[in-house]
């Protein structure tokens, strides 16, 4: 029994090494730019183990989203308080983005490239966007949110949540504007800034989100 347990633990350790290596490389080089050999070299495992544990590079890619995607992506909101629901959704996704920047980079790449893998990736995250739509519609019906186009509002919020990132690319522009230093990576601050931006865009005046 002890040997069986140790064997399972060793197998799971190898799988996790492969997944962590793949996540790093996919985020940096993209799916097409990463080879199985590179993943195995990064993980420090034998080349054959990717096929043995996952059946190929594409299955490693999907396993990353299935393994590291947080439970809140499948959460269903009760809609008793759409302002609080939206605040919670923003908070959870923002903290997820900060905790898993490599996974977010992979998602960004797949969306921008409209890759053949996107449909399966969408199955992991589309449930959250359906909840976002329900929250916005309820909030508008209750008089808390004000917007004209649901489609453009949802796309703008998703863009803010998924594609916002701290980068040195704009630092020279900010420095010219008298805004030195880099953007905050403090989770609480980023959540507060993101929530304020979205709530103000929705003309939400309910004090609860402040």
């Amino acid at each position: 029994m002890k040997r069986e347990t140790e064997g399972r633990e060793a197998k799971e350790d190898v799988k996790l090494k492969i997944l962590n290596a793949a996540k790093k490389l996919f985020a940096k080089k993209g799916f097409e730019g990463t080879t199985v050999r590179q993943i195995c070299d990064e993980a420090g495992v034998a080349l054959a183990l990717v096929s043995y544990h996952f059946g190929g590079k594409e299955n490693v890619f999907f396993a990353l989203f299935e393994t590291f995607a947080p439970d809140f992506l499948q959460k269903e909101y009760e809609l008793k308080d759409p302002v609080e629901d939206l605040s919670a959704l923003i908070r959870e996704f923002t903290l997820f983005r900060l905790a898993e920047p490599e996974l977010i980079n992979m998602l960004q790449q797949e969306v921008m490239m409209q890759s053949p893998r996107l449909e399966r990736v969408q199955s992991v995250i589309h449930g959250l966007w359906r909840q976002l739509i329900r929250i916005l519609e309820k909030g508008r019906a209750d008089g808390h949110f004000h917007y004209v186009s649901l489609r453009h509002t949802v796309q703008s919020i998703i863009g803010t949540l998924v594609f916002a990132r701290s980068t040195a690319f704009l630092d020279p522009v900010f420095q010219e504007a008298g805004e030195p230093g880099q953007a905050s990576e403090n989770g609480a601050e980023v959540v507060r800034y993101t929530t304020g931006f979205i709530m103000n865009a929705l003309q939400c005046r309910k004090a609860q989100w402040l």
Side-chain angles (χ1 to χ4, degrees):
M1 182 65 71
K2 182 179 179 181
R3 288 184 177 179
E4 289 180 4
T5 301
E6 291 176 347
R8 285 195 298 270
E9 289 176 350
K11 186 177 294 186
E12 289 304 312
D13 183 56
V14 168
K15 291 175 69 174
L16 190 58
K17 284 181 179 179
I18 292 171
L19 288 173
N20 283 325
K23 182 167 62 168
K24 177 181 177 181
L25 291 170
F26 286 152
K28 184 177 180 180
K29 300 173 174 288
F31 178 85
E32 303 295 347
T34 300
T35 67
V36 171
R37 181 175 295 279
Q38 288 171 335
I39 293 172
C40 292
D41 287 345
E42 180 70 28
V45 301
L47 184 63
L49 288 177
V50 165
S51 295
Y52 175 76
H53 287 294
F54 297 97
K57 184 174 75 167
E58 189 168 85
N59 286 338
V60 173
F61 181 90
F62 295 132
L64 283 169
F65 286 94
E66 294 164 0
T67 302
F68 295 107
D71 292 339
F72 86 89
L73 292 178
Q74 306 302 324
K75 178 179 178 179
E76 288 197 16
Y77 295 83
E78 296 182 3
L79 303 181
K80 293 179 180 179
D81 187 338
V83 176
E84 174 56 33
D85 288 341
L86 182 57
S87 297
L89 187 153
I90 294 169
R91 179 177 62 254
E92 294 286 359
F93 197 94
T94 300
L95 293 176
F96 167 51
R97 189 183 78 221
L98 294 173
E100 291 286 354
E102 292 164 332
L103 207 61
I104 293 296
N105 281 356
M106 291 167 55
L107 177 61
Q108 291 171 343
Q109 292 170 14
E110 296 302 299
V111 171
M112 295 300 294
M113 294 173 59
Q114 290 294 294
S115 81
R117 297 168 296 279
L118 188 57
E119 182 176 351
R120 187 164 166 183
V121 173
Q122 286 172 336
S123 67
V124 177
I125 200 168
H126 266 196
L128 183 67
W129 304 142
R130 293 188 186 98
Q131 294 300 310
L132 173 60
I133 290 173
R134 294 178 64 232
I135 291 169
L136 290 173
E137 290 179 325
K138 184 63 163 60
R140 181 164 65 175
D142 290 353
H144 298 306
F145 303 148
H146 305 274
Y147 57 87
V148 176
S149 167
L150 175 64
R151 176 182 293 274
H152 285 89
T153 300
V154 169
Q155 290 174 337
S156 296
I157 292 175
I158 291 175
T160 300
L161 293 176
V162 176
F163 289 93
R165 65 166 64 186
S166 176
T167 173
F169 177 71
L170 291 175
D171 281 356
V173 179
F174 287 124
Q175 289 168 3
E176 290 174 5
E179 184 77 20
Q182 295 182 337
S184 172
E185 288 294 335
N186 178 279
E189 288 186 359
V190 177
V191 168
R192 186 170 71 251
Y193 297 149
T194 306
T195 303
F197 180 79
I198 292 173
M199 291 296 188
N200 283 326
L202 293 169
Q203 302 176 57
C204 179
R205 296 294 175 259
K206 189 173 182 180
Q208 181 179 349
W209 68 266
L210 295 173

